[in-house]
Every structure is written in structure tokens, then in C-alpha cells.
């Protein structure tokens, strides 16, 4: 026996081994599948029966290697076990033709129409099909390395492979490679050997089982009595072990198609009659008998088709003598280790007919010991689920009852509660450390390698998860994380592009409803298989810090990186049990989040094809044991074959985790695929922007996008702190002043300022009332009780050069019948003062016998004139239109006055009562303004006086212009009196001049009567002003002094 | 043509030339080279306060018409009204204007409509502005009190031609603790304003409102022209005094007497 | 035909008429045109008074609604206006047509309603002026306010002339204040006002200032 050097670790291995005993890497490189080659899944379901035998390590052309696994159109011929199976061409038709009702060929034997039994398939051929999609497992670098490695094509025809390996392996030439899809393997064997799902695939220990199980047995077990699509049907209840706790288990039928048909074909004759549920026995874990029979399998002969999948053992030496492989034997790898194991079946009387799936059987103890030591893994490793079939194996992750033969392959049956695994995927062969299994999505026929899920043994997965080495690891740890990642809208790693196949259902694993389980499906007995039941390769290693960090970044529960809303959402998420990757409170944002190890080390895998790494058992202890199917496996198979969409396919999430969010702000829930599109950026500093780095938004829908404006302030603005921060900028003095002002404004923003109430109005009102009362009492009392004080008349010296003196002289010169124009241009309010001031003058005019013409530029003037005459001059008994004429209102103010001056008769043709004014005696001799003897203007407004002076005075020739004005207008009209030319001939201003005038006239009138009260009022006014003013002045001084002392200077 | 006429023509031409000259040289000047007047600063401040507080301003134009010397004060008040409306366009409530003269009332309403239309203030139904309050002075003053005592009025601007009735208006504003900016061309009223208003406008400061409120470059040019002519008048007065001292006054009087 | 009376048409009309009237002061040949324009302005001002009264009436009519404040005062005003108008029409009818004494009823209203009100308001103004004079030092404490305060006292005291208590020197001071500082200040103010008036008128004539709207 030659020795083969492991391309990974470099250690030598016997040539009868397909995988390294030390590291678990495949010993033979897999040729990458050409890109244009159809996917394995396509081939898997392709009905291409014209399959060329896989004789060389070259990848299958055209039809994928999976085609070799699929049953061809033509019935799978039963290949005798011991007869070498000629390498038959790969059937062009998909092996699923046996599954899918296809038009029966005429030449088909009715019996053959039945689901093709599983043929003894060459392990290599099975592997060829299994690893058809090399892109899933291999990289460019690995391809180079593969050349150095003895080519190993697991999809090789067994015979070819045997030739390659120097083994006489059974070559499955018939088209019965896909029989495993039709004929379920031996229920007993597979069921008992059904591995637990949780058990991580550890160094392909499961492959040990390949040599332990005979293909024949598997073929027998895989044979179906049912139709072609029995694999799609759920397994019978018998198949379903009641004690199964495999969450990934679904209907046994769903997995039974994966059972090696070839193994079922040949031994079908020998096999005991199968139950209807035996169709999927191949998918179930090997039976306990088979498991127990693994030990003697150590001395197996030729390596079966799938011997490479099993750890090398002495028993596998006999695997070289592989029985002839049937077309369905290509999938023997999925069932029994190899046809070579078939002969060993004789040595394993306890072995079930479904030997094809022995690989899924938990390896024996010897085999397990040869396994590459898996970190935190049971020696059983990946194949613990297979070991679970061994009743004596306490480490079996499965809880399948040994007696339940239907459950042998139940691990292969999809669990309706679990998400389907990729089609064709062998979880037991999968090294989760090296190549984490992504979510292949639909368990159907997508291009992803989700077909591998189909090959996954739910029991094996569960058992792997239940590895005691990781008792605390939650079942859905990493899945939950990934789910959280999908939910989270926070930090997105810059480098990672979260592919869709990584996205998982938003539902927590625990909420995957069981409704997807169809009754006929093989529901797992226990759906709550803890994570430890999953294969080790599906579990996340605690040591995977990078993955943890990565997931933490994505973790919604990480309060450091998410807003409160999201926190609130995530806080209400079901807590992750035994979540080692808790929110990293101490996680620094600066840590660069790495891809999960299975993604990062994809390229780092040295020399070992990526797709075979899991076979080699390479798993970095630091990498987490990722079990992408922990949550979904249980329901995967059920979901696959259920009418309902799997939960992970649906974007709707259950209400439970979000029930409590109604009260909170509704935040848009981005579906997983959208989250997957989020660019992963470097972790940003949550404390603020870094000048050297682009700002990467952390919140909101723009999370992960660099160089955007921050949506919100990441830190609360502390004005005091900001104010205290010294300015290092180069700024001018004025700018510093502005800054100080701004600081002061900001600091004063929160300070409450006492608003000074204005002085109460009551104080003002009281004072006003007081003044009013004093004035009223004084003047009224004086008027009532006072008398007339005899005053001496002013002397001539006093009268000289006075306005009232000049006016007196003018009027004194008048004679009877001279027209005088009097303008009453004052307001009614000023009537009191002007009545008093004008009464003496008008009385003097009337005493002289002059005719009066009354006019006004105010609307109320005519009325005032009438009232004046009737109240002050009643004694003269002037009659309208006889001694006086009232011309009425002159509109237009100065313009009207000017017009009147120019043409008085045109402007005012009639009196205010409509009588002919210019024909009346007062105006009969007046044709122009200069015909008046005098013009007397009585006004309280200096502007009015100016108008008369400026508009009329300049036009007057010999007619004097005189005025009786209020005391307030005296300063303004006095210049006109004292100027030269004298425009104002005389005036009387206020009560003072009027008193003097009356004294000159010696006719006391209103002014003389009002003189004493007027003086008394003055006295009171002066006293009030003086006292009040001084008091207010002193108070103002004191208040200012007080305010200055307090620092509030106004 | 008499001396007065000739003097008048000279004065008018001088003013026109000076205004045109100063408007030309100050065309690009952004800073206003004018002395600060606290009353107009207060107006700007009150406009800002009204905008912030959501209150309104009250602008009173007095009772002067357009046919007499009081027309200048009334027109100056109209100019200030226009500027205040434009500046306070963003107030919640537009400014309210009151007048005591029918002609000024019509002009005020026209100004308000024109300014409001320019700044898209359409709703003045609630605050009819520019209405004639009263024909007589005190009836006008009393009618204005109802507007001043409105709590929504934050400041009162009395620019126009007022008489003694301005006492009522200013004291009412003081009672409401609202700012009162007042200015008139009548001297007795100016004395009352100086004693009762918080920010009085004395003399010709009333006519400088346009320049201080940003009415345009011509307003600033007119202020400059006024300053020039004022200095000219000062020079003439001083020269007259000097000539009178020197005994040359009779010569000037004869000239003036002969020409008149 | 629709005539747009807005600027520049209104501006052109205003400027043209202003220039003619101004020129009519200096150019005798266009004196008649100025006179015609002045007479037209007189009519317009009278009509403007009527328009203002109508506007006052309409405004207060609008305020008669329940939502408006001071609607009662508006009601009184409207009633008073209408009553006065009706009485005046009746009185005019009687005066012009019947030959009764001139406007007796209107005179009665004026004599016994308007006149007392107006005079009382002026009397209250005196109280307000006294209060303003007393509070001037509280509002602003500066030199001019102090001078103002004491000038007020001197003028008042100078007006007091009760022979026993007459202080002659106060009369002299008062006369001097009125003739010199007051008169000089008043003239200065008037000169400034005149200058402002001229510039305001020139701005209107130049069209830069348009108080007549947009």
C-alpha cells in the first residue's frame, strides 16, 4: 500500500484514504468545475442520462457531477455488487427524473419506473457530483495546488477513481447513480446511522462510516417501493424517530432522495422489503447497527466511492474492492462509504442495507480517533451524527432512537422548521471552520450549493451542535448574529459585502414556526435541539474573535453602535442563549471588523481546495464554528418540500420581537437583502468626525455610506465644554470678540433672565388723578369764589412795541362800516383760550362798528365763528348778512387760501347759508382781498399763522394782517412782527396779552375774568412740576447709582 | 421776477443739483456716512422685536394734508410707513396705520397695498390699515388710543404732522409700556414729544427717515444736500451778522427792498 | 379702453403738475395754469374729505361684527355720523329752502356736544403735559432735560402776574427766553424743516419718492 502525502499538512497517509488522517484535508485535489459548466444542482436535477463516466479527475463536462448522482431517465440498472460497474456515461437526464414524474420510457420496466433504487455508486463518482460546484469550495490558488496533489475527483467514476487510487472500487456505470433519490436506503441502517445535525463535520469523520457500510445495504434501504418522487415525499412516521431532536430533520422523504440509490438497487433484492418511508433512509443517519458496525469497518477493504469522505481506516482498505458501481452509486458517498464497503457488510451483519449513507454515520471509535482533532469537538466530530446511530455511542448528537429505522435517514429529511440546506450539501463533510456554510437559500434548484443542504443530515447537525465541547454555545449563535446583522442598520463593514446567501430569516431561530412542517413530513422529534447538537463545523467557535467582532458590529444589541430606537428594537429581540458574542461594550470602533473566518480564510486556505477543506477537516480553532443551518436545518427539508415558503425566504418577520415596538418610533425595517447590500465600512469613531477620515454614517438608512453629512449629532453639544475649549485658530481680535459674544450667548441660553416688569400703570394713574384734582379744585374754586382783581393798565412804555399795542392802535383807527375779514382757523379744543384772547379784540372791532366777514380754512371754523359771536359778542347784536357775513369753509388749506386771495369772489361766491355774500353790506364794496380794512386771523396753530402770513401777507398791500394766537404760537409769529418788512402788523398772544389789551380798552372781558384762575393754575402747575420733577430726578439718580453698584449699567 | 422768486428758483436748482451730485457719487457706497439717530435705530429694533414676538407695529401719520406746509411731514411719514411695511413683511401681523386727514388716508392705503403686494401680504382684512380715524385733532387722537392700547402692538411710530393731541398718543404708549417713536414738524408738538416720547425726532430728523431706513440712495443724497445748504445758510447768517456789525446791513436791505 | 393709471402714468402726471405749479410761482406767464391746477386741487381735496368720511364709515361698519373688538364704539360712531348727517341735511334744507336761521340744530350739536368734548380733551392734555414735565427727569437724566425742566418753570413763573406776588425779574427772564433762545431755536428748527420740505418735494417731483403707491 502506497502512501499518499497530504497536500495540506504534508503528512503521509495510506493510499486507501481519501482524506488525510491528520488534518482531514482531501488527499486528492478536485478539479474546479468550469464556469460554464452547469451547477451541480442543475445536474442534480437534470435528466440527462447520457452521462459520461467520470474516469478522470477532470471535472465532468457538460453535465455536472451531480448528474451522476441523479437518476437518469433510463432506469437504473441494478448493478451487482461484486461486478465492477462499467463507467457509464453520465446520464443527461437529471436523476431527479426518478423523482419527477417523467414520461415513462417504453423500454422501461414498469418496475423500473419506480424510483430508481440507489445504485452502488462509486464514492469517487459520488464525490464528483458532490463537489461539482467547485467554486464553492476551491479557489484559484487551490487550483494550482490541486495540480500537485494527486488528482482526486470525488465525482469520478468509482472505477476510475479506484484506478486512480489504486483501488478497485466499485464503479457505478449504470444510470442508477441516482437511485438513491428514488429508492430509499435501508431505513434501518440509515435511520440508525442518521447523524445529528448539530454535530459539526469534523474532519470528515463521517467518512469512516463509509467504509463501514455496504453500499448494498444502503441501496437496499434506499430502494423505494414508491414512485420516483418518493424522495420528495415525507417519510413515514416509522421513519421518523420519535426521539429525534434534530431540528433540521424534516420529512424523511425529503432526504431520502439523497440516499444512495445505487446502494439500494443491488441490495434491494437482498434487502428486506422496505417500508414506504424507507425512501429517505439514505438521508437519515446511519442506524445504530451500522454505527456499531463501523468498528469492524475499520478493516474495510477497498475504498468505496466515498471513502475519501471518510477518515481513513484500516477498514477502508477493503474499500478498494469496491463493488461495481451503478449509476446510482455516484451518490453512494452520500450513503454508505463506498461500494467497497459492501463486502464489508458481510462483516457487518448489523449493518443496514443502506450502506451508501454510511458516510453519514457517525464514525466508529477507531475512526474517530483518527480524525483530526477538532477543537472543542468530540472525537466523533462531524460524524457524531452518524455515531448517534450507534446506540453505544454516547456522544451521538442525535437522539434518534435506534429502533426507529425510519429515522435513520431522517437526518437527511428536511426539517420543516429549519431552513433548507443547500442541495447536495453534506454537513457532515463540511468543515465549518474552513468554509462556513452559507445560506444557500432555496433548497430547490438554485445555482447555489444549497443542494448540499439536501445532503445534510439533520440528526447529524443536531448531534454536532450538541457537542459537549460547546455546551454553552447557543444553537443559533452565529445565525442569530447574522440575523441581527440583517436587521441592523448600523455599522456595516466596509469590506464585507454581505451576500444574500448569508442573510438569514429575520425570524429568530426560535420563532421559526412549525407550521411549515407538513404532517407527512418527517418532523423532528425534538425541534429544540440545542446548538450543541449541530455538527461542529456548523458551530461557531468562541475563539473566532474576528467573526465575533464582525458580528458585533452588526449586532443590534450593541448599544455602542446603534441608536436608541434600534436599541429598543434589539433589546426586545429574544435574547440569545449563551451568546458568547454579546454586545461588545468594550469593543472599540476602531477595530477593523473582519470577515468571518469562513469567508476570510477562503483565500487563505493553502493548498487545500476550498471545497475539500471541510473534508480535510481543516478548521481553525480561532474561527467560529459556523452553523448556518442551525436554525434552518430543522425546517429546511420541511420547508423545501412544503407548499409554503420557508421562513427564511419570507421577509416578513414574526410579530413577537416587534410587538413592543409599536410604542416607539417606527423605524424602517430593511429586508435582509437590502442589508446585505449595505457597504461595510470601517468602524467609525462614534465620538465625532475625524478630520483624517471620511465620515461614515452610522445611523439611519445611510448607515455605512461614507462621506455623507451626519444625520444627527452623535454627541450632545455641550456649550460649556465647547466654550471652554480654547481656540487655536488664527483669528483677529474682532473675531475673538465675536467668539466671546457667541460664547456668552450660548452660555446664557439656558440661563433664565428675570424680566423686569414695567412700572405699574396704577402709579401713573394715581398721580394723574392727583394732578387733575388739584388743578380742578384750584381753578374751579378760584373761578367760583374768586373775583376780579383790579390791575393797573399797562403803561405806554409797556405797550410800545408790543403786538397787542399795535393791534389796538389799528383797530382804534377804524370807523364805522369798514369791512374786516376775520378768519377762525382754530380747533374747537382751543376755543377756550382763543375765545378768551379774541373776545376783547372782536369786541373792540364791533365797538368801532366795522362789518365783519367770517371765513375759515377749518371745517369746524364756521360753526366756531357763529358760536363765538353768539357767546362773546351777543351784546353787539350783529345780524348775519347785515353786519357780518359768514363765508363758510374754505377748503384746500394754503392752496385754497391762495386761491381765495387771488379771486375771493370766485372761490366763495355764496355765504355758508347760501345767501349772496358779495351783495351783502359787509362785502358790497369788496372786490379783492386788499379791499378789506384789516385781516384778523384767529388761530392756535403756528403753521396756520405762517400760511396766512406767507400766502396772504405777501400779497396784501395796505391791508394789515393781524393775528390773535395761542401763547404757544407767539414765539413763531413774533419774528414776522419784528421783521422788516413787517408782515404781521399786530398780534395778541394768549390771555396775558388779552388782559393787557382789555386794560387798554378798558373793557374787561373774558380775559380779565380768567386772569386770577389762570394765575392760580400756573402756581399749582409750577409747584407740581417742581416738586414732582425734583422727586423723580432724585429717584432716578438713586436708581442709577443702585444699578451701577449692581453692575447692571444701562 | 421778484427776488423771492429768483431766490426760490436758485434754491430749487441748487437742491436738484446737489441731490443729483450726491446720488451719483454715493452710488456704490455701501456704508451710510450719516450720524446715528437713536430713533431710527429703535425703529429697526422694534421691527425685529415685532417679527420675533409676533406682534405688530402702529404707525400714525398725523392729520396733515398735502396742500400746506404740513404736507412735507405727512409725505415723510408715508415714506417711513412704506419702509416699515417692507421691513416687517415677515411679521405675523402687518403694521397698522392711522391717519387724521382724508387725503393722507387715501395715500396711506395706497402705499400699504402697493408694499403689501410687492411682498405678498394679501390678508389685511383683519387689520384694515390706513383708515381715517378722525377729522379733528383730538378725535383723531382718541381714535388712535384704541389701536395703541391693543396688546398686540409692540411699538408706536408717530411720524407726520401732529398738534397738541400728540400728548394723548405718546402718553398712551407710555402707559402700555410700549416704545414710542414720534416726530412732527410742528414746534409745540415737538416739545411735547421731547417730554413724553421715548425716542423723539426733533426738527428735520423726521425728513431723514428714508435715508436711515434704506429707502434709497436719493434719500441719502437729499440729506447731504440739506447739509450743504444748511452750511450755506449758516454762512449767510454769519455773514449778515458780520455785515450788520460792519454797517453794511442797510445796503442789503435796500437791495432786497428794491427787488421785492 | 382700459387705462392703467399706475406708474409711470401716475408718476408722469404728478411730476408734471408739480413742476407747473412750482414754476408758476416764478414764471408769471403760467400763473393762470397754476391757478387752474390749484383750483382743481381744491376740489380734489374737498372730494378727498368726502372719501375719507365714507372710508371711515365703511371701516366702522365692518367693525360692527361680533368678532371685532370695540364694536360698540364703532356703532356709536356710525350712529352719530348718520344722525349728524341727517340732521345737517334737514337743517340745510330748512336753511336754504325754508329760510330758517342758519343751521340751528347743527349748531346745537356742535355747541353742546363737540365743543365741550374737544375742550375737555385739551384740558386733560394739560394734566398730561404736567405729568410729562414732572417725569422728564426720570426718563432721561441729561443736561438738556434739566434745562428743559427749569425753562418750563421759569416761563410759567414769568407768566404769573398777581400784583402782590408778581416778580418782575421773572417777566424779564420769560421775555428773554421767549425772544432769544426759544425764538432762535424755533427758527433753526423751521429752517431745517424747510430744507426737509424742499428735499421731500424735489424727490416727489423727480419721481424718486412716490407716496402715491407702487
Amino acid at each position: 500500500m502506497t502512501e499518499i502525502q497530504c497536500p495540506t499538512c504534508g503528512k503521509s497517509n495510506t493510499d486507501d484514504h481519501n482524506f488525510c488522517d491528520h488534518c482531514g484535508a482531501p488527499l486528492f485535489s478536485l478539479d474546479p468545475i468550469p464556469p460554464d459548466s452547469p451547477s451541480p444542482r442543475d445536474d442534480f436535477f437534470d435528466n440527462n442520462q447520457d452521462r459520461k463516466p467520470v474516469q478522470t479527475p477532470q471535472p465532468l463536462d457538460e453535465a455536472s457531477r451531480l448528474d451522476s448522482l441523479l437518476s437518469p431517465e433510463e432506469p437504473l440498472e441494478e448493478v451487482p455488487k461484486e461486478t465492477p460497474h462499467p463507467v457509464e456515461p453520465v446520464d443527461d437526464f437529471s436523476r431527479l427524473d426518478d423523482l419527477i414524474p417523467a414520461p415513462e420510457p417504453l423500454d422501461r420496466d414498469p418496475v423500473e419506473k419506480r424510483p430508481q433504487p440507489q445504485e452502488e455508486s462509486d464514492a469517487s463518482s459520488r464525490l464528483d457530483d458532490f463537489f461539482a460546484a467547485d467554486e464553492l469550495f476551491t479557489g484559484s490558488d487551490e487550483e494550482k495546488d490541486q495540480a500537485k496533489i494527486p488528482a482526486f475527483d470525488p465525482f469520478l467514476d468509482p472505477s476510475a477513481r479506484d484506478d486512480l487510487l489504486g483501488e478497485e472500487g466499485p464503479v457505478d456505470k449504470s444510470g442508477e447513480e441516482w437511485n438513491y433519490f428514488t429508492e430509499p436506503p435501508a431505513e434501518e441502517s440509515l435511520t440508525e446511522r442518521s447523524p445529528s445535525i448539530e454535530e459539526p463535520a469534523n474532519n470528515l469523520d463521517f467518512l469512516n462510516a463509509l467504509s463501514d457500510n455496504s453500499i448494498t445495504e444502503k441501496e437496499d434501504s434506499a430502494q423505494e417501493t414508491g414512485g420516483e418522487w418518493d424522495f420528495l415525499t415525507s417519510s413515514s412516521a416509522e421513519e421518523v424517530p420519535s426521539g429525534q431532536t434534530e431540528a433540521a430533520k424534516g420529512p424523511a422523504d425529503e432526504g431520502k432522495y439523497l440516499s444512495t440509490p445505487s446502494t439500494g438497487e443491488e441490495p434491494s433484492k437482498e434487502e428486506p422489503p422496505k417500508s414506504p418511508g424507507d425512501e429517505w433512509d439514505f438521508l437519515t443517519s446511519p442506524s445504530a447497527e451500522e454505527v456499531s458496525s463501523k468498528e469492524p469497518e475499520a478493516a474495510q477493504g477497498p475504498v468505496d466511492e466515498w471513502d475519501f469522505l471518510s477518515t481513513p481506516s484500516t477498514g477502508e482498505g477493503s474499500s478498494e474492492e469496491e463493488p461495481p458501481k451503478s449509476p446510482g452509486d455516484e451518490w453512494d458517498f452520500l450513503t454508505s462509504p463506498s461500494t467497497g464497503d459492501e463486502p464489508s457488510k458481510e462483516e457487518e451483519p448489523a449493518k443496514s442495507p443502506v450502506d451508501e449513507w454510511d458516510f453519514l454515520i457517525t464514525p466508529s471509535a477507531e475512526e474517530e480517533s483518527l480524525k483530526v482533532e477538532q477543537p472543542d469537538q468530540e472525537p466523533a466530530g462531524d460524524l457524531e451524527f452518524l455515531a448517534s446511530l450507534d446506540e453505544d455511542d454516547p456522544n451521538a448528537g442525535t437522539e434518534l432512537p435506534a429502533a426507529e429505522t425510519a429515522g435513520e435517514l431522517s437526518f437527511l429529511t428536511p426539517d420543516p422548521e429549519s431552513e433548507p440546506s443547500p442541495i447536495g450539501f453534506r454537513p457532515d463533510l463540511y468543515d465549518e471552520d474552513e468554509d462556513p456554510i452559507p445560506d444557500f437559500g432555496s433548497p430547490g434548484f438554485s445555482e447555489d450549493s444549497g443542494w448540499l443542504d439536501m445532503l445534510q443530515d439533520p440528526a447529524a447537525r443536531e448531534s454536532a451542535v450538541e457537542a459537549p465541547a460547546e455546551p454553552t454555545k447557543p444553537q443559533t449563535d452565529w445565525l442569530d448574529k447574522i440575523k441581527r446583522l440583517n436587521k441592523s442598520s448600523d455599522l456595516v463593514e466596509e469590506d464585507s459585502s454581505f451576500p444574500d446567501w448569508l442573510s438569514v430569516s429575520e425570524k429568530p431561530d426560535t420563532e421559526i414556526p412549525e407550521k411549515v412542517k407538513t404532517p407527512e413530513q418527517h418532523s423532528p422529534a425534538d425541534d429544540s435541539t440545542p446548538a450543541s447538537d449541530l455538527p461542529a463545523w456548523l458551530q461557531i467557535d468562541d475563539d473566532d474573535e474576528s467573526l465575533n467582532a464582525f458580528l458585533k458590529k452588526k449586532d443590534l444589541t450593541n448599544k455602542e453602535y446603534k441608536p436608541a430606537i434600534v436599541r429598543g428594537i434589539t433589546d426586545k429581540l429574544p435574547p440569545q442563549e449563551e451568546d458568547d458574542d454579546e454586545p461588545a461594550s468594550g469593543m472599540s470602533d476602531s477595530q477593523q471588523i473582519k470577515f468571518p473566518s469562513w469567508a476570510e480564510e477562503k483565500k487563505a486556505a493553502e493548498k487545500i481546495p476550498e471545497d475539500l477543506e471541510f473534508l480535510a477537516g481543516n478548521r481553525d480553532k480561532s474561527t467560529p464554528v459556523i452553523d448556518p443551518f442551525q436554525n434552518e436545518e430543522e425546517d429546511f427539508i420541511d420547508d423545501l418540500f412544503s407548499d409554503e415558503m420557508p421562513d427564511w425566504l419570507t421577509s416578513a418577520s414574526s410579530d413577537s420581537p416587534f410587538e413592543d415596538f409599536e410604542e416607539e418610533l417606527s423605524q424602517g425595517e430593511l429586508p435582509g437583502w437590502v442589508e446585505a447590500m449595505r457597504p461595510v465600512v470601517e468602524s467609525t469613531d462614534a465620538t465625532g468626525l475625524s478630520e483624517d477620515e471620511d465620515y461614515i454614517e452610522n445611523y439611519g438608512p445611510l448607515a455605512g455610506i461614507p462621506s455623507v453629512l451626519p444625520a444627527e449629532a452623535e454627541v450632545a453639544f455641550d456649550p460649556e465644554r465647547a466654550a471652554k475649549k480654547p481656540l487655536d485658530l488664527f483669528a483677529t481680535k474682532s473675531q475673538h470678540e465675536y467668539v466671546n459674544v457667541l460664547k456668552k450667548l450660548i452660555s446664557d441660553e439656558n440661563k433664565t433672565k428675570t424680566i423686569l416688569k414695567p412700572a405699574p400703570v396704577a402709579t401713573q394713574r394715581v398721580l394723574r388723578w392727583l394732578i387733575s384734582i388739584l388743578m380742578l379744585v384750584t381753578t374751579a374754586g378760584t373761578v367760583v369764589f374768586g373775583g376780579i382783581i383790579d390791575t393797573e393798565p399797562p403803561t405806554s412804555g409797556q405797550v410800545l412795541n408790543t403786538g397787542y399795542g399795535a393791534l389796538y392802535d389799528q383797530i382804534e383807527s377804524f370807523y364805522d362800516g369798514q369791512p374786516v375779514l376775520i378768519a377762525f382757523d382754530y380747533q374747537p379744543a382751543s376755543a377756550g383760550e382763543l375765545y378768551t384772547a379774541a373776545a376783547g379784540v372782536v369786541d373792540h372791532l364791533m365797538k368801532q362798528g366795522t362789518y365783519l366777514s367770517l371765513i375759515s380754512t377749518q371745517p369746524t371754523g364756521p360753526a366756531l365763528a357763529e358760536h363765538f359771536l353768539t357767546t362773546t359778542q351777543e351784546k353787539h347784536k350783529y345780524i348775519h348778512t347785515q353786519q357780518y357775513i359768514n363765508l363758510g369753509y374754505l377748503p384746500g388749506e394754503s392752496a385754497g387760501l391762495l386761491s381765495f386771495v387771488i379771486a375771493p369772489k370766485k372761490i366763495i361766491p355764496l355765504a355758508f347759508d347760501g345767501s349772496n355774500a358779495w351783495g351783502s353790506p359787509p362785502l358790497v364794496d369788496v372786490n379783492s382781498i386788499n379791499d378789506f380794512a384789516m385781516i384778523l386771523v384767529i388761530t392756535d396753530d403756528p403753521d396756520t399763522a405762517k400760511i396766512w402770513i406767507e400766502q396772504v401777507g405777501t400779497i396784501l398791500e395796505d391791508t394789515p394782517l393781524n393775528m390773535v394766537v395761542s401763547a404757544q404760537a407767539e414765539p413763531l409769529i413774533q419774528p414776522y412782527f419784528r421783521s422788516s418788512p413787517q408782515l404781521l402788523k399786530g398780534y395778541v398772544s394768549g390771555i396775558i396779552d388779552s388782559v393787557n389789551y382789555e386794560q387798554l380798552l378798558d373793557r374787561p372781558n373774558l380775559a380779565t375774568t380768567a386772569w386770577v384762575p389762570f394765575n392760580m393754575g400756573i402756581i399749582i402747575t409750577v409747584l407740581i412740576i417742581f416738586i414732582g420733577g425734583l422727586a423723580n430726578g432724585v429717584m432716578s439718580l438713586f436708581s442709577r447709582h443702585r444699578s451701577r453698584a449692581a453692575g447692571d449699567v444701562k | 421776477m421778484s427776488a423771492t422768486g429768483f431766490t426760490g428758483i436758485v434754491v430749487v436748482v441748487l437742491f436738484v443739483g446737489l441731490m443729483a451730485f450726491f446720488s451719483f457719487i454715493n452710488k456704490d457706497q455701501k456704508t451710510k456716512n450719516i450720524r446715528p439717530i437713536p430713533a431710527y435705530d429703535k425703529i429697526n429694533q422694534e421691527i425685529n422685536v415685532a417679527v420675533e414676538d409676533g406682534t405688530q407695529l402702529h404707525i400714525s401719520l398725523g392729520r396733515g394734508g398735502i396742500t400746506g406746509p404740513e404736507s412735507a411731514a405727512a409725505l415723510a411719514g408715508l415714506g417711513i410707513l412704506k419702509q416699515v411695511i417692507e421691513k416687517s413683511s415677515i411679521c405675523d401681523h402687518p403694521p397698522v396705520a392711522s391717519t387724521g386727514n382724508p387725503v393722507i388716508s387715501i395715500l396711506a392705503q395706497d402705499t400699504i397695498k402697493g408694499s403689501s403686494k410687492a411682498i405678498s401680504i394679501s390678508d389685511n382684512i383683519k387689520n384694515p390699515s390706513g383708515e381715517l380715524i378722525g377729522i379733528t385733532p383730538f378725535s383723531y387722537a382718541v381714535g388712535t388710543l384704541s389701536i395703541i392700547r391693543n396688546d398686540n402692538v409692540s411699538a408706536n411710530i408717530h411720524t407726520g404732522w401732529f398738534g397738541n393731541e400728540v400728548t394723548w398718543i405718546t402718553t398712551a404708549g407710555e402707559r402700555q409700556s410700549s416704545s414710542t417713536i414720534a416726530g412732527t414738524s410742528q414746534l409745540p408738538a415737538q416739545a411735547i414729544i421731547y417730554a413724553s416720547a421715548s425716542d423723539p425726532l426733533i426738527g428735520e430728523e423726521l425728513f431723514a427717515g428714508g435715508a436711515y431706513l434704506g429707502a434709497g440712495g436719493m434719500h441719502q443724497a437729499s440729506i447731504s444736500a440739506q447739509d450743504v445748504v444748511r452750511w450755506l445758510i449758516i454762512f449767510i447768517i454769519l455773514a449778515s451778522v458780520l455785515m450788520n456789525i460792519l454797517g453794511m446791513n442797510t445796503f442789503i436791505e435796500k437791495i432786497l427792498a428794491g427787488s421785492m | 379702453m382700459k387705462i392703467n393709471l399706475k406708474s409711470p402714468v401716475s408718476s408722469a402726471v404728478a411730476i408734471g403738475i408739480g413742476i407747473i405749479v412750482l414754476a408758476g410761482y416764478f414764471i408769471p406767464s403760467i400763473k393762470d395754469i397754476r391757478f387752474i391746477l390749484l383750483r382743481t386741487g381744491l376740489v380734489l381735496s374737498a372730494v378727498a374729505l368726502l372719501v375719507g368720511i365714507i372710508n371711515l364709515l365703511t371701516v366702522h361698519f365692518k367693525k360692527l361684527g361680533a368678532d371685532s373688538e370695540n364694536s360698540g364704539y364703532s356703532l356709536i360712531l356710525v350712529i352719530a355720523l348718520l344722525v349728524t348727517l341727517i340732521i345737517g341735511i334737514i337743517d340745510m334744507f330748512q336753511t336754504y329752502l325754508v329760510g330758517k336761521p342758519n343751521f340751528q340744530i347743527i349748531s346745537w350739536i356742535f355747541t353742546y356736544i363737540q365743543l365741550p368734548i374737544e375742550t375737555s380733551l385739551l384740558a386733560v392734555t394739560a394734566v398730561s403735559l404736567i405729568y410729562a414735565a414732572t417725569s422728564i427727569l426720570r426718563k432721561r437724566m441729561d443736561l438738556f432735560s434739566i434745562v428743559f425742566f427749569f425753562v418750563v418753570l421759569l416761563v410759567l413763573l414769568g407768566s404769573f402776574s398777581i400784583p402782590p406776588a408778581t416778580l418782575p425779574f421773572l417777566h424779564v427772564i420769560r421775555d428773554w427766553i421767549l425772544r432769544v433762545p426759544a425764538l432762535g431755536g424755533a427758527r433753526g428748527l423751521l429752517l431745517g424743516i424747510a430744507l426737509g420740505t424742499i428735499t421731500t418735494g424735489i424727490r416727489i417731483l423727480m419721481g424718486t419718492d412716490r407716496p402715491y403707491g407702487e
Side-chain angles (χ1 to χ4, degrees), chain A residues 396-451:
Chain A
T398 182
E399 299 180 10
L400 295 174
E404 193 165 345
T405 59
E408 290 180 5
L409 300 178
S410 61
F411 76 94
L412 294 175
T413 61
D415 192 344
E417 295 181 353
S418 66
E419 292 188 5
S421 313
I423 295 176
F425 177 72
R426 293 195 57 181
D428 55 330
L429 302 179
Y430 175 70
D431 184 5
E432 57 185 342
D433 293 333
E434 295 298 328
D435 192 0
I437 298 176
D439 185 4
F440 290 104
S442 169
F445 308 102
S446 65
E447 295 182 1
D448 296 336
S449 55
W451 54 274

Side-chain angles (χ1 to χ4, degrees), chain A residues 238-257:
Chain A
E238 298 177 2
E239 297 177 353
V240 178
S242 58
Q244 275 191 340
T245 58
E246 299 168 351
K249 285 186 178 179
D253 293 341
E254 295 179 5
K256 287 185 177 178
Y257 75 94

